[in-house]
Amino acid sequence: KNDVPPTARKAKRTPKASGKPPRHRLSLNMDKYRLVGEKKNDSAAGSEEEEEGASEVRITQQGKPRNYISYALGLFDQGANQIELKAMGRAINKAVTIAEILKRKMPLHQITSLSSSEIIDVFEPLEEGLDVVESKRYVSCMVITLSKDGSSMDFNDIGYQPPLPPDEIHPGDLNVARTGEGSTT
């Protein structure tokens, strides 16, 4: 217990004397500001024009996946040949999950594209004498295009994925592969 030599004990870390104030002193006291708006600048990689005939489903972090799946299936049932699942930031993993579930319900061609978007947050001061503050941040964006027949899709696109084999597609709610029950017709 006390046999450890004093040199082997953990020493307290002291900040290096570099002449600069610590980082935490450089940050603004944001209690004196309120967020008044956001400006969104899409990067060149993600600002392709939307194709005609593609229905859009915007995925958010708060929405339930089953609602997005039902909405997307409804769009296909109403005659849409192609839909686009769009997500930003933390909603990207949910968009991927939704696309994979949809691909297992019907044979769908897929093209995935990634981009980033610059978002500028504008903060207004709550006290007199302070300036308006703008903060830039970059958010990842994903667009997953799903198509029934693959028409108007570039099969040589780096993000292209062909439909799954028929034995992996189960249109009903019961996933036969997982439970081992039901018919395989």
Side-chain angles (χ1 to χ4, degrees):
K1 296 174 187 173
N2 287 334
D3 335 345
V4 180
T7 54
R9 290 187 195 134
K10 273 192 173 176
K12 288 186 180 179
R13 296 185 134 237
T14 56
K16 293 181 182 177
S18 63
K20 295 181 186 176
R23 262 183 94 81
H24 66 275
R25 287 189 195 156
L26 294 177
S27 66
L28 296 172
N29 183 359
M30 294 308 288
D31 296 338
K32 298 178 182 180
Y33 290 87
R34 68 181 172 115
L35 181 66
V36 291
E38 284 184 353
K39 301 176 197 171
K40 189 162 112 175
N41 298 331
D42 291 333
S43 67
S47 62
E48 297 173 10
E49 291 187 23
E50 198 173 309
E51 293 180 22
E52 298 213 8
S55 300
E56 181 178 303
V57 181
R58 289 192 176 259
I59 311 293
T60 64
Q61 189 178 1
Q62 291 82 24
K64 295 189 181 296
R66 70 172 167 235
N67 295 341
Y68 294 119
I69 292 165
S70 298
Y71 181 68
L73 289 173
L75 289 174
F76 281 129
D77 288 343
Q78 293 171 5
N81 184 44
Q82 183 170 305
I83 65 168
E84 286 184 343
L85 303 176
K86 293 186 175 185
M88 295 177 69
R90 294 180 182 160
I92 287 177
N93 62 339
K94 187 180 291 187
V96 171
T97 301
I98 291 165
E100 290 301 318
I101 291 170
L102 289 171
K103 286 170 52 178
R104 281 162 177 72
K105 290 191 174 287
M106 64 178 62
L108 294 171
H109 297 264
Q110 175 181 340
I111 290 184
T112 305
S113 61
L114 296 171
S115 62
S116 65
S117 181
E118 179 184 61
I119 296 179
I120 303 170
D121 294 323
V122 180
F123 295 93
E124 187 177 81
L126 296 173
E127 296 180 2
E128 294 283 328
L130 298 173
D131 294 337
V132 172
V133 175
E134 289 187 352
S135 170
K136 287 184 187 178
R137 58 190 168 101
Y138 291 92
V139 179
S140 300
C141 305
M142 178 181 275
V143 177
I144 301 173
T145 306
L146 299 170
S147 174
K148 283 183 177 180
D149 60 6
S151 64
S152 76
M153 287 191 133
D154 179 11
F155 299 132
N156 296 320
D157 189 298
I158 194 161
Y160 174 76
Q161 294 179 28
L164 294 173
D167 62 330
E168 291 185 30
I169 296 174
H170 305 286
D173 290 336
L174 181 64
N175 188 342
V176 178
R178 191 173 61 185
T179 61
E181 299 171 3
S183 64
T184 56
T185 56

